[in-house]
Amino acid sequence: VAAGMMAAASYSLFLEGCTFEEADDITSVSPTVRTVVGAALGLLFILCTKSFLEQHEDLKVGSLGGADLRKVLLIVFVMTLHSFSEGVGIGVSFGGENGSELGVFISASLAVHNVPEGLAVAVVLLPRKVSKLTASLWCIMTSLPQPLMAVPAFLFVHYFIPILPVGLGFAGGAMAWVALFELLMEAYEDTDITTTAV
């Protein structure tokens, strides 16, 4: 379930980045190129994070350790990073001519969108014997960058507009890696191909 939600979110981020249009976007580099660069950076970040975590096998957080901790940390990192680009999107959406209407719409959409994202985090944490309270707090923590980034993005909208497709690509690339090569593989190992596909 979590892999499917993250894969769908990755697709949405790539699509939004590649089709990004804003009158105040003055850069000559196409949104598609910026999104692809961001996706490559997101993949590189995940590979570096994964390598770092593998070098620290003895790392423990609470009752989690080893492969379980690595998987949980990857999911939490990716969802948190993804929230940074969403926060920038919220802040940028409030700028411009139709900012008040568009900003409210984007904010409401992302608020609803945060529910399945929180579920994706919880689905990874709860089977690993993390308490419901701790899982709930981590679900909230992964979305905190949204309001934290929305304010500076709104205040400095002209600086954030050109990098928004890069941020969307970064988050999409990181989420796609985790969805396909971590969560989907874990589901396949724990069940069979038919159950994983359903």
Side-chain angles (χ1 to χ4, degrees):
V1 173
M5 285 192 274
M6 287 181 76
S10 297
Y11 172 76
S12 296
L13 290 167
F14 290 139
L15 183 63
E16 191 176 334
C18 289
T19 60
F20 179 75
E21 280 187 40
E22 178 64 44
D24 294 330
D25 187 4
I26 56 170
T27 184
S28 61
V29 180
S30 78
T32 302
V33 170
R34 288 181 278 167
T35 303
V36 169
V37 167
L41 291 172
L43 290 171
L44 182 64
F45 173 80
I46 287 299
L47 293 174
C48 290
T49 302
K50 191 172 161 97
S51 174
F52 174 80
L53 292 173
E54 286 171 356
Q55 292 173 5
H56 296 86
E57 293 273 338
D58 56 342
L59 190 64
K60 286 187 89 54
V61 175
S63 62
L64 291 175
D68 280 345
L69 179 61
R70 285 195 309 271
K71 193 165 305 279
V72 166
L73 287 176
L74 275 176
I75 298 296
V76 169
F77 283 161
V78 165
M79 296 307 270
T80 303
L81 285 170
H82 157 246
S83 289
F84 276 96
S85 64
E86 287 180 344
V88 171
I90 291 169
V92 167
S93 70
F94 274 100
E97 209 172 288
N98 299 318
S100 58
E101 296 91 23
L102 181 61
V104 169
F105 174 73
I106 296 295
S107 297
S109 298
L110 287 173
V112 171
H113 173 76
N114 284 343
V115 173
E117 285 180 2
L119 180 61
V121 173
V123 165
V124 172
L125 291 171
L126 292 174
R128 290 171 171 79
K129 309 287 189 253
V130 174
S131 75
K132 291 177 185 171
L133 175 62
T134 303
S136 298
L137 291 173
W138 278 112
C139 292
I140 293 167
M141 292 295 289
T142 59
S143 293
L144 276 181
Q146 288 177 3
L148 296 176
M149 289 303 295
V151 173
F154 172 72
L155 293 174
F156 303 102
V157 68
H158 295 292
Y159 297 108
F160 278 93
I161 285 175
I163 63 168
L164 186 58
V166 176
L168 294 169
F170 184 96
M175 286 179 70
W177 173 271
V178 171
L180 299 175
F181 296 104
E182 296 292 329
L183 296 177
L184 200 59
M185 293 314 255
E186 178 184 357
Y188 175 69
E189 290 167 3
D190 290 348
T191 60
D192 57 35
I193 189 74
T194 306
T195 305
T196 301
V198 171

